[in-house]
C-alpha cells in the first residue's frame, strides 16, 4: 500500500486530512501515538471548557439548564456519536462510564431472556467488562454464569442457553477486529442478544450498528473521540428493544417526568431511560465540542488514512531492521483496528525510552508495545520520525536503563 516512491512529505501533501491536525492543541516536539488510550485536546474543546465554566456556569448559574440546554446534552451528544457509529437518532445517549453502562445493559438483557442464564464473552476481553459481569453474577447468585469463548472462533461456540454475547469489537492488546455483522447474525440465529464494546472502534473506522442489526453497544469517548480524561461514555439500545428494555439503576433523570418529583419510578420509554443521576455538564460540554472535529470528515476517509499510516510504519520498521527484534502480534491490516502491537520482553522500558525521546506510545502487560494511529492529527512525517527514533533506541539499547524499567502507577 505504501512504498518509497513517495517521501513522507509528499504523502502528507497528498493527504486530504492533513490540515485537521491544526484543530488540536498538541505540544511541540511531541509525536503522539497513544490516541487509542487518550485522545489529545481539540482546540474547540478548550474553548468550550472556558465558555461553560466562565459564562454558562459563572454567569448563567442555574438558568443555564434551560438557557444553554444542559438538560438535553446527553441526547444531543448521543446523537452526534450515533452519526459516527452508524446509529440513527434516538438510539444513543451519553452518560456515566463504560463499566456502569455495562451493568445497566447486561441486567436489562438478562431480564429480556429470563429463561437463559449464561453471559458469554472472551477471556481476553478488556478486564473491566469481565469484572462487571462477575460483580453482577455475585448479585444474581449461582443460577447464572459466565462462559469464556475463543475470539478466533466465536460462531462455533454459540449455544441456545446463552442470553447475552458480550464482545469488544477490537481487542485492546492485539488490535484484532471482530466481524460484527457476521457474529451478530450468528448470535441471533441462536436467539442470543449481542452487546458490543466499541472502546477501540468509535471514531477509528466505520461502525455500522444499525446495518449490523446490533442489539446493544457501549463505548468510551476519551480515545478516538478526544473527549478528555474521564469523559462520559455512551449506550446504544436498538430502537426495536426500547419498549422491553428496563435497566435497574432507576435514577431520577431516567424518569419519564423527572421534575414531577413523583415518589414512584416510571421509566422513560426512550433511550433516555439509561440516565441515572445529574449528568456532568462540564465534561459533557467539552465532549460535545470535541466531536465537532469530525464535521466534514467521513469515517471511511479516517479508516483509509489509518491503514496507510499503519502500512507506512511497518514499511519503515522493516527498512530499519526493527521487525526481527520487535515481533508484530497484531493480525493483518484488514483484520485489526487502528493500532499495532509488538511483543518484546523489555516492552515497558522501550516505551519509556521512546517517551523520553518525545514519542508517546503505550505499554500493555505483560510484554506489549502498543502503537495507536489516529489519522486526524498524525502525519506520515510523524511516523517516519517516530520509527527513526525507535530504531536508534533499539540499536543502542538505550532502554536498558534502570530509569526506564521503574514501573509507574499508570503503565
Amino acid at each position: 500500500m505504501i512504498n518509497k516512491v513517495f517521501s513522507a512529505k509528499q504523502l502528507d501533501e497528498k493527504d486530504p486530512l492533513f490540515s485537521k491536525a491544526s484543530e488540536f492543541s498538541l505540544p511541540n516536539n511531541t509525536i503522539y501515538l497513544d490516541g487509542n488510550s487518550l485522545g489529545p485536546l481539540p482546540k474547540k474543546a478548550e474553548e468550550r471548557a472556558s465558555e461553560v465554566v466562565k459564562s454558562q456556569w459563572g454567569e448563567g448559574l442555574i438558568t443555564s439548564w434551560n438557557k444553554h440546554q444542559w438538560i438535553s446534552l446527553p441526547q444531543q451528544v448521543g446523537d452526534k456519536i450515533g452519526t459516527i457509529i452508524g446509529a440513527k437518532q434516538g438510539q444513543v445517549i451519553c452518560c456515566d462510564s463504560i463499566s456502569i453502562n455495562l451493568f445497566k445493559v447486561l441486567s436489562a438483557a438478562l431480564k429480556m431472556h429470563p429463561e437463559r442464564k449464561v453471559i458469554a464473552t472472551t477471556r481476553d476481553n478488556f478486564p473491566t467488562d469481565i469484572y462487571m459481569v462477575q460483580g453482577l453474577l455475585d448479585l444474581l447468585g449461582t443460577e447464572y454464569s459466565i462462559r469464556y469463548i475463543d475470539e478466533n472462533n466465536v460462531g462455533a461456540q454459540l449455544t441456545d442457553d446463552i442470553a447475552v454475547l458480550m464482545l469488544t469489537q477490537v481487542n485492546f492488546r492485539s488490535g484484532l477486529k471482530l466481524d460484527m455483522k457476521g457474529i451478530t447474525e450468528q448470535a441471533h440465529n441462536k436467539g442470543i442478544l449481542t452487546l458490543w464494546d466499541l472502546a477501540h472502534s468509535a471514531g477509528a473506522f466505520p461502525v455500522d450498528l444499525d446495518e449490523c442489526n446490533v442489539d446493544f453497544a457501549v463505548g468510551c469517548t476519551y480515545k478516538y473521540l478526544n473527549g478528555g480524561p474521564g469523559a462520559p461514555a455512551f449506550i446504544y439500545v436498538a430502537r426495536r428493544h426500547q419498549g422491553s428494555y428496563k435497566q435497574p439503576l432507576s435514577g431520577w433523570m431516567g424518569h419519564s417526568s423527572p421534575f414531577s418529583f413523583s415518589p414512584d419510578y416510571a421509566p422513560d420509554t426512550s433511550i433516555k431511560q439509561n440516565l441515572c443521576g445529574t449528568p456532568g455538564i462540564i465534561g459533557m460540554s467539552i465532549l460535545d465540542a470535541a466531536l465537532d472535529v469530525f464535521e466534514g470528515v467521513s469515517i471511511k476517509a479516517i479508516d483509509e488514512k489509518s491503514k496507510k499510516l499503519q502500512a507506512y510504519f511497518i514499511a519503515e520498521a522493516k527498512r530499519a531492521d526493527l521487525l526481527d527484534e520487535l515481533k508484530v502480534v497484531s493480525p493483518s491490516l484488514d483484520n485489526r483496528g487502528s493500532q499495532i502491537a509488538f511483543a518484546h520482553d523489555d516492552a515497558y522500558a522501550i516505551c519509556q525510552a521512546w517517551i523520553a525521546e518525545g514519542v508517546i506510545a503505550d505499554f500493555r502487560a505483560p510484554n506489549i508495545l502498543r502503537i495507536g494511529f489516529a489519522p486526524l492529527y498524525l502525519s506520515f512525517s510523524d511516523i517516519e520520525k517516530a520509527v527513526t527514533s525507535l530504531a536508534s533506541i533499539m540499536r543502542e539499547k538505550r532502554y536498558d536503563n534502570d530509569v526506564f524499567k521503574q514501573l509507574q502507577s499508570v503503565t
Side-chain angles (χ1 to χ4, degrees):
M1 181 180 292
I2 296 290
N3 56 53
K4 211 61 178 177
V5 171
F6 296 108
S7 67
K9 182 180 179 182
Q10 288 172 321
L11 290 169
D12 287 336
E13 290 171 349
K14 292 173 174 288
D15 174 18
L17 299 181
F18 183 76
S19 64
K20 274 288 174 178
S22 65
E23 297 183 28
F24 292 85
S25 292
L26 286 161
N28 293 327
N29 303 314
T30 299
I31 297 171
Y32 195 58
L33 303 178
D34 206 9
N36 55 321
S37 193
L38 175 67
L41 174 64
K43 292 177 180 177
K44 284 189 176 181
E46 189 174 11
E47 294 167 1
R48 179 71 65 83
S50 178
E51 178 198 346
V52 171
V53 171
K54 292 181 179 180
S55 177
Q56 295 184 17
W57 176 22
E59 297 175 12
L61 299 169
I62 201 170
T63 67
S64 288
W65 282 103
N66 292 313
K67 183 178 180 181
H68 294 288
Q69 299 182 325
W70 286 355
I71 195 67
S72 59
L73 259 183
Q75 298 99 301
Q76 175 183 313
V77 177
D79 282 336
K80 275 190 176 182
I81 295 170
T83 63
I84 295 171
I85 58 176
K88 291 180 181 177
Q89 291 197 342
Q91 298 178 101
V92 180
I93 196 156
C94 184
C95 57
D96 301 313
S97 67
I98 280 185
S99 299
I100 293 172
N101 290 341
L102 282 169
F103 185 89
K104 297 173 193 173
V105 175
L106 287 167
S107 300
L110 288 176
K111 283 186 177 181
M112 293 166 66
H113 262 334
E115 75 285 0
R116 300 188 181 204
K117 311 296 181 182
V118 177
I119 297 172
T121 190
T122 62
R123 191 172 288 277
D124 199 32
N125 201 346
F126 192 76
T128 198
D129 296 42
I130 298 173
Y131 299 162
M132 293 309 295
V133 174
Q134 292 169 346
L136 178 59
L137 296 184
D138 283 345
L139 291 174
L140 294 176
T142 57
E143 186 180 3
Y144 289 84
S145 64
I146 185 171
R147 182 177 302 160
Y148 296 109
I149 59 177
D150 182 356
E151 68 180 358
N152 292 300
N153 192 18
V154 173
Q157 300 163 84
L158 300 179
T159 53
D160 57 13
D161 60 340
I162 298 172
V164 189
L165 174 63
M166 180 186 72
L167 296 171
T168 298
Q169 188 181 16
V170 175
N171 184 295
F172 77 103
R173 285 194 182 92
S174 70
L176 172 66
K177 181 167 68 173
L178 297 179
D179 175 12
M180 177 182 284
K181 187 171 186 177
I183 291 173
T184 297
E185 183 177 356
Q186 291 171 321
H188 286 172
N189 288 340
K190 295 285 186 178
I192 300 168
L193 293 168
T194 58
L195 166 56
W196 289 89
D197 184 335
L198 306 179
H200 289 274
S201 308
F205 54 80
V207 178
D208 301 309
L209 293 181
D210 287 349
E211 184 181 326
C212 292
N213 205 29
V214 165
D215 300 296
F216 311 107
V218 298
C220 64
T221 62
Y222 48 78
K223 300 183 191 296
Y224 295 102
L225 297 180
N226 311 301
F234 62 86
I235 292 181
Y236 164 87
V237 178
R239 193 177 302 281
R240 66 184 180 277
H241 291 313
Q242 290 179 16
S244 56
Y245 175 93
K246 185 176 182 181
Q247 65 94 0
L249 301 182
S250 47
W252 76 307
M253 281 291 170
H255 194 283
S256 59
S257 180
F259 291 95
S260 67
F261 300 109
S262 167
D264 298 311
Y265 186 70
D268 196 281
T269 57
S270 72
I271 190 69
K272 185 183 169 187
Q273 181 197 145
N274 287 288
L275 296 177
C276 294
T278 305
I281 294 302
I282 295 174
M284 201 172 296
S285 296
I286 291 171
L287 169 60
D288 181 51
L291 292 171
D292 287 346
V293 300
F294 289 91
E295 287 184 0
V297 177
S298 74
I299 301 299
K300 182 180 178 182
I302 290 174
D303 186 36
E304 288 173 351
K305 181 178 175 182
S306 170
K307 287 182 167 62
K308 290 177 181 178
L309 289 170
Q310 292 180 62
Y312 189 66
F313 188 101
I314 292 296
E316 289 295 291
K318 284 180 180 177
R319 276 188 275 273
D321 294 324
L322 280 172
L323 300 187
D324 290 335
E325 194 169 358
L326 288 171
K327 181 183 177 184
V328 178
V329 292
S330 293
S332 64
L333 186 59
D334 289 334
N335 295 310
R336 67 175 180 251
S338 199
Q339 66 185 67
I340 303 176
F342 296 92
H344 193 284
D345 290 343
D346 292 302
Y348 179 78
I350 292 168
C351 186
Q352 294 305 307
W354 211 12
I355 290 172
E357 297 266 325
V359 181
I360 302 177
D362 74 1
F363 165 80
R364 286 293 175 262
N367 66 338
I368 298 298
L369 175 65
R370 192 178 67 163
I371 300 168
F373 297 85
L376 290 180
Y377 50 84
L378 278 178
S379 68
F380 292 93
S381 295
D382 289 333
I383 300 304
E384 183 178 57
K385 292 173 186 175
V387 174
T388 299
S389 172
L390 182 58
S392 176
I393 289 168
M394 299 303 294
R395 184 173 57 252
E396 299 175 13
K397 294 191 181 298
R398 294 206 298 275
Y399 59 86
D400 192 14
N401 183 313
D402 288 343
V403 171
F404 299 138
K405 295 178 181 180
Q406 294 174 2
L407 290 179
Q408 301 185 58
S409 299
V410 177
T411 61

